[in-house]
Amino acid sequence: MTSLFSHSLLNDTDRDVPGAYRAFSRGTVHAALPSKDDNDRSSADVRPLRKNYAVVAKEMAKTQSLAASFRNISHYLSLIERARNTIQGVEAKLTELDATVSEAAGLVDHDDYNSVSVGAIARASIAGLASGSGTFTAVSPLATSGEGAGSTFTIRANGTGDYDIVNIESNGSGYAVDDTITIAGTALGGSTSRNDATITVTDISTLNKVTTDLELAADDIDRIALQLRAQTVVDEISGIINGSKFWDEEIFGGLRAIGYAQIGHQPSERTLIDIQELSTRTIGSYLNAYFVNGGFETSSDLEGSYVKETAVQTTGAMASLYGWTIGLEQVALGPSIAGSDAANGLITSTIGGFQTPNDSTPTPQNADSPAQVSRGDNYRATGGSFSYNIAGDGLQLISDNLRVNGGDVIHGPYLISQSPVALNSGDTISFSWKGEVTDNAFDAYAYLLDANTGSTTELLDSYGNSTTGWSTVTHTVAADASYYFVFVSGSFDYDFTGSVTAASASGNSPVSGAITASATGTAASGINSATHSGTATGASSFSNIAQTSTSGNGTGATFTISTNGSGTYSLGGINSSGSGYQIGDTITISGASLGGADGVHDLTLTVTALTPASYSVNQSSTTGSGSGAIFTVASNSAGNYSVTSIPTFGSNYALNDQVTIAGSNIGGTDTQNDATLTLTKVGATTFSGVTQASTSGSGSGAVFTISIDGSGNYGVVSVTNGGAGYEPDNTITVSGASLGGTSPAHDLTITIDNIETTSGAILHIDNISVSRAVEPPTIIEGIDISTKNAAIEAATVIADAIKQIQFRDSYLASKETALQNSLNAISAQTASSDLLIIDLSVKETVRQLKKFDVMNALMSDVQKAKYLLNSGLLRLI
């Protein structure tokens, strides 16, 4: 009779290991072990039980863990084997289909098809001593034994000294079976020729054979028969795929793989066969079957993906994030405005190679009354930046400190998925988004882009001047197609206020006014300096001495005169310069006023310099018909006149008119000191530093340069300072009195045509996902070889599908190798657990523990104990 405890722990872990280990874990077990004081055992018998106590616990737990791992990995390997069988079966049938389609394409005669010996590489093996580990892409041959050329490979060094071919990136041409290709070890992480890899060609692409070596057959092919043959192969492929369905709750967690094989819980373990629909559009594009990186991870765990995985990088205006491309530039959505920057090609208006869609709200407006309406996004921003950020809330598309025209929308940066996603009618796409205002307002847009036609489906169109909360957009697909996902960030100058950049002028300027003039005449003014002569007497000083007489018309000058006792006068100073003096006037001071005798000791002063003076005066007369001008006439120390400004231009003046200013009006006497002004410029001038007297809006600080063209027209030459707070169509009033005219007759009105302001916003995107309405179809259909051109197209696509399936098979093969290594390691560890079945003292300890397990049951359940006793089970212990 077989004992209840006679089985090895390795044979029935569900019962023996947990049972013994649970019994062992209870504190009562240790206390119940026999001791020196027990009467039924000697102390020598007790020590082995005590000694092996920890050993048993450790080995039992280790054995349980290893057994479970071995069982799971073995199951995992069986799934990979099933997946590879599916892939290899499909590949074989696709190769068969390739031959049929190629024949239908008229590229090869059926009888000669198998005679082709050279072409592109379809399959190859690799050998060599690898150094280290890593994956090396775009590796090209160092040498080849045949005539082939143009092949490149992705090769992996697996860390155990072996190489694997991950992918044949370029199949090349002119290769034959058994050709050998040498890859330099230095291109594969090695340092010497010892690490060279040798690739042996094991199969040639049938499609490339026919395109490189065969003569074209006459177009007398029975395509109906070939169509039937192709349909038979297609049905067989469908059967293989349908037979690959499996449902394993323990491994997959309820995930069902249909149309592809999935290993494990994560999308990274999903092995796509992608023969969901065999047609000239979708075959081979297995990445279309699902969507990856909807959370914008900076690196992918989709090991074995057909796309090349690279680190996040930026080149020019484009950034590459795994699964996504970010355009760090301004982009214009439609409709295009004639004559705009976008229409002139100055702004990008394509994304993903297709024209951008028409925005359903191209000209947003604000809440003013009346509302101000934007002119759209067809105009360039100046200054500012476009950037992105990956944060805890997904991807942020950022525009910052953009210099924009008032009210403009600026779209950018934008985001597009790197690979299209095959969606069917009824499938849903969803994503989370938030619009953040950093300066003015946001303007966000998102759409689906048909990868084949370029048609678009709007998903999101929203703008606002306040930051939103998170929202979820869910869209149900209406038509079967492969789609790119596109998201466009944007900002909107919602308040339409800023600094002036362009303005126009209106108003009646002074027409034919006097603008500039030259002047002639002898000026009269006060005395600035003089020479002296005469014979003095005594030594004394005399202050505020007035003239006795003068040769001219000047009056009012007083002087300080000194005598030195030696008969010499000196002019100590001019106390009052007086007025009406001219250069060369002589002034006589009687000697009686200077301590001497009249006539004998007289002092003579000769005027050598005048005091400069300036007068704002009207004309006294003119040779023309002009009137109303006010001139600023200045005289210098030499007695010359000049016109320093004409603050009021007047009107009806003509070039070279002579205007007379009476001498009595400019510090002298009429006729003798008259100033004659000759007009050198009439009717056209420019004013700088012009500021507003008032405005219809709330802006301030603008400064302009204003012109007058002499025909009554004002013009804004430039905006010296744009100020702040202005809006388009605001008006600014400038007093005519500051522009050479009078107010209000010559007031200037400046209308604000355009403003510039700053704008910026952030579009947050996260949680992009696709939900399928139904299971992916597993019936292959759509092969059309009814015409030569259709068959050629189908043959090209099938060849690409074969290449991709071979890549997936290579990936699974590497996973299979890694798992087998894990099993070998487990086998090595299990050897140490033989102690449980070969050490007699340890086996006795286990038997004792199992006895305590039964005794515990007896103590806890009387009825059960009676049953065990009555059944005679205790006699087994």
Side-chain angles (χ1 to χ4, degrees):
M1 182 170 59
T2 303
S3 170
L4 178 65
F5 303 105
S6 62
H7 297 292
S8 167
L9 292 178
L10 291 174
N11 292 337
D12 195 355
T13 57
D14 285 340
R15 183 180 61 189
D16 290 332
V17 172
Y21 194 69
R22 283 194 303 270
F24 171 77
S25 300
R26 288 189 290 270
T28 56
V29 173
H30 188 273
L33 284 173
S35 64
K36 295 180 180 180
D37 297 331
D38 293 333
N39 296 323
D40 59 336
R41 300 290 300 270
S42 66
S43 59
D45 293 332
V46 171
R47 280 192 298 270
L49 291 178
R50 298 280 185 183
K51 178 187 70 173
N52 294 322
Y53 185 82
V55 174
V56 171
K58 177 180 178 181
E59 294 301 324
M60 290 174 67
K62 177 180 178 182
T63 300
Q64 180 186 22
S65 174
L66 292 175
S69 298
F70 194 95
R71 181 173 60 251
N72 290 339
I73 294 177
S74 297
H75 193 177
Y76 195 88
L77 270 172
S78 70
L79 294 178
I80 290 183
E81 183 179 0
R82 290 169 64 185
R84 291 196 67 193
N85 288 340
T86 300
I87 287 177
Q88 292 169 1
V90 171
E91 179 188 354
K93 289 299 176 182
L94 278 177
T95 303
E96 185 178 342
L97 184 62
D98 179 25
T100 301
V101 172
S102 297
E103 186 175 350
L107 301 173
V108 59
D109 284 324
H110 180 70
D111 293 339
D112 296 333
Y113 185 83
N114 293 323
S115 66
V116 179
S117 59
V118 297
I121 301 173
R123 301 180 72 88
S125 60
I126 189 169
L129 178 62
S131 173
S133 62
T135 300
F136 307 89
T137 60
V139 179
S140 57
L142 175 66
T144 179
S145 64
E147 301 297 326
S151 61
T152 58
F153 305 85
T154 297
I155 297 174
R156 179 188 297 117
N158 62 14
T160 61
D162 296 326
Y163 289 117
D164 298 317
I165 298 177
V166 177
N167 186 30
I168 303 174
E169 297 179 8
S170 177
N171 303 84
S173 62
Y175 290 96
V177 173
D178 296 330
D179 277 357
T180 57
I181 298 169
T182 302
I183 306 295
T186 54
L188 302 173
S191 56
T192 67
S193 59
R194 293 179 62 253
N195 305 121
D196 288 355
T198 300
I199 295 175
T200 302
V201 178
T202 59
D203 193 13
I204 300 298
S205 168
T206 55
L207 178 63
N208 280 276
K209 290 176 188 177
V210 302
T211 58
T212 56
D213 292 281
L214 292 181
E215 295 181 359
L216 295 180
D219 194 14
D220 57 356
I221 300 170
D222 184 359
R223 289 197 176 83
I224 295 178
L226 292 175
Q227 181 75 61
L228 294 175
R229 186 195 305 171
Q231 187 58 50
T232 299
V233 177
V234 164
D235 292 342
E236 291 172 349
I237 295 175
S238 296
I240 293 173
I241 294 176
N242 289 332
S244 73
K245 298 180 182 178
F246 39 88
W247 179 284
D248 193 308
E249 185 71 28
E250 178 183 353
I251 299 298
F252 292 155
L255 297 176
R256 190 172 187 182
I258 298 179
Y260 49 79
Q262 177 166 326
I263 310 299
H265 290 278
Q266 302 299 321
S268 60
E269 302 299 334
R270 182 181 296 178
T271 302
L272 296 167
I273 299 170
D274 190 37
I275 312 296
Q276 295 181 6
E277 181 181 0
L278 184 59
S279 71
T280 54
R281 288 195 310 169
T282 62
I283 182 172
S285 302
Y286 61 81
L287 286 178
N288 289 350
Y290 66 104
F291 183 71
V292 298
N293 203 17
F296 303 103
E297 289 80 10
T298 55
S299 61
S300 167
D301 61 357
L302 190 66
E303 183 182 356
S305 171
Y306 186 63
V307 297
K308 183 178 180 181
E309 298 180 29
T310 58
V312 178
Q313 56 186 354
T314 301
T315 304
M318 307 305 290
S320 177
L321 169 69
Y322 177 72
W324 297 95
T325 296
I326 304 169
L328 301 174
E329 59 182 343
Q330 184 177 348
V331 62
L333 303 178
S336 179
I337 299 175
S340 66
D341 292 340
N344 292 332
L346 301 178
I347 303 176
T348 297
S349 58
T350 60
I351 296 178
F354 292 101
Q355 179 67 42
T356 54
N358 285 343
D359 190 342
S360 56
T361 56
T363 54
Q365 61 187 34
N366 61 17
D368 288 359
S369 183
Q372 293 172 292
V373 180
S374 171
R375 61 176 180 170
D377 71 349
N378 283 256
Y379 301 89
R380 289 184 298 174
T382 59
S385 64
F386 297 104
S387 62
Y388 73 95
N389 183 48
I390 302 169
D393 60 351
L395 185 72
Q396 300 173 0
L397 298 173
I398 305 167
S399 58
D400 183 49
N401 200 33
L402 304 176
R403 298 294 299 180
V404 302
N405 294 314
D408 276 3
V409 172
I410 302 296
H411 278 126
Y414 61 85
L415 173 75
I416 180 171
S417 53
Q418 290 178 346
S419 300
V421 181
L423 300 177
N424 298 316
S425 176
D427 289 350
T428 58
I429 173 178
S430 66
F431 61 90
S432 301
W433 76 280
K434 181 177 77 170
E436 180 179 348
V437 175
T438 58
D439 195 347
N440 240 303
F442 73 88
D443 189 303
Y445 196 84
Y447 61 96
L448 291 177
L449 172 63
D450 190 312
N452 297 302
T453 68
S455 62
T456 61
T457 303
E458 183 177 288
L459 301 176
L460 170 68
D461 181 23
S462 181
Y463 70 90
N465 65 333
S466 60
T467 298
T468 71
W470 279 97
S471 300
T472 299
V473 171
T474 301
H475 172 78
T476 301
V477 178
D480 296 357
S482 292
Y483 296 97
Y484 291 99
F485 300 156
V486 183
F487 301 90
V488 184
S489 181
S491 62
F492 167 37
D493 176 38
Y494 186 87
D495 57 22
F496 286 74
T497 64
S499 58
V500 180
T501 58
S504 55
S506 61
N508 297 315
S509 70
V511 179
S512 300
I515 305 303
T516 61
S518 62
T520 60
T522 301
S525 184
I527 301 172
N528 184 267
S529 66
T531 60
H532 59 278
S533 63
T535 301
T537 183
S540 186
S541 179
F542 306 90
S543 298
N544 294 317
I545 301 301
Q547 67 187 33
T548 302
S549 63
T550 178
S551 63
N553 299 313
T555 61
T558 60
F559 308 91
T560 296
I561 307 296
S562 298
T563 60
N564 61 3
S566 299
T568 302
Y569 284 111
S570 63
L571 179 61
I574 301 173
N575 303 119
S576 175
S577 62
S579 63
Y581 295 95
Q582 295 178 206
I583 297 294
D585 281 356
T586 59
I587 296 171
T588 300
I589 297 176
S590 171
S593 300
L594 300 174
D598 187 18
V600 178
H601 301 108
D602 288 354
L603 170 65
T604 301
L605 301 176
T606 301
V607 177
T608 58
L610 301 177
T611 302
S614 179
Y615 304 89
S616 181
V617 292
N618 295 311
Q619 67 189 38
S620 300
S621 63
T622 179
T623 59
S625 57
S627 63
I630 298 176
F631 303 89
T632 300
V633 178
S635 61
N636 61 14
S637 61
N640 299 318
Y641 288 119
S642 64
V643 178
T644 58
S645 69
I646 306 176
T648 300
F649 297 150
S651 59
N652 297 321
Y653 290 95
L655 190 65
N656 296 321
D657 277 356
Q658 289 189 335
V659 174
T660 298
I661 306 296
S664 59
N665 294 329
I666 49 178
T669 59
D670 291 345
T671 305
Q672 181 175 339
N673 300 121
D674 287 353
T676 301
L677 312 183
T678 301
L679 301 187
T680 57
K681 185 175 182 181
V682 177
T685 189
T686 299
F687 295 88
S688 60
V690 176
T691 59
Q692 67 191 40
S694 62
T695 177
S696 64
S698 57
S700 62
V703 180
F704 305 90
T705 297
I706 302 298
S707 65
I708 297 176
D709 66 5
S711 298
N713 300 315
Y714 282 118
V716 178
V717 177
S718 64
V719 181
T720 307
N721 189 321
Y726 294 97
E727 297 185 24
D729 299 326
N730 280 172
T731 58
I732 291 173
T733 300
V734 179
S735 172
S738 63
L739 298 171
T742 60
S743 182
H746 299 122
D747 284 356
L748 163 66
T749 299
I750 298 174
T751 301
I752 307 303
D753 297 327
N754 204 8
I755 62 171
E756 184 178 72
T757 186
T758 57
S759 182
I762 302 175
L763 174 60
H764 301 251
I765 300 292
D766 199 10
N767 302 323
I768 303 173
S769 63
V770 171
S771 297
R772 301 292 183 178
V774 296
E775 295 176 342
T778 58
I779 302 301
I780 305 170
E781 56 189 16
I783 285 295
D784 177 15
I785 56 176
S786 60
T787 67
K788 181 176 181 178
N789 288 339
I792 291 173
E793 182 182 3
T796 302
V797 178
I798 291 171
D800 185 58
I802 292 174
K803 173 183 175 181
Q804 294 189 33
I805 286 176
Q806 290 172 349
F807 175 83
R808 303 305 290 176
D809 186 41
S810 175
Y811 163 64
L812 284 180
S814 66
K815 298 284 279 187
E816 190 173 29
T817 299
L819 290 173
Q820 189 61 55
N821 291 338
S822 297
L823 285 182
N824 294 340
I826 289 175
S827 298
Q829 294 180 55
T830 304
S832 66
S833 296
D834 290 343
L835 179 67
L836 292 176
I837 58 176
I838 63 176
D839 190 296
L840 295 179
S841 63
V842 171
K843 288 178 63 177
E844 178 61 23
T845 302
V846 173
R847 292 176 60 83
Q848 290 297 327
L849 290 173
K850 292 204 172 190
K851 289 181 182 181
F852 294 133
D853 193 28
V854 175
M855 293 303 295
N856 185 70
L858 289 173
M859 291 183 289
S860 63
D861 191 334
V862 175
Q863 295 301 322
K864 184 176 180 180
K866 289 182 178 180
Y867 170 79
L868 291 173
L869 184 61
N870 294 334
S871 66
L873 187 59
L874 291 181
R875 288 193 296 273
L876 295 174
I877 301 178

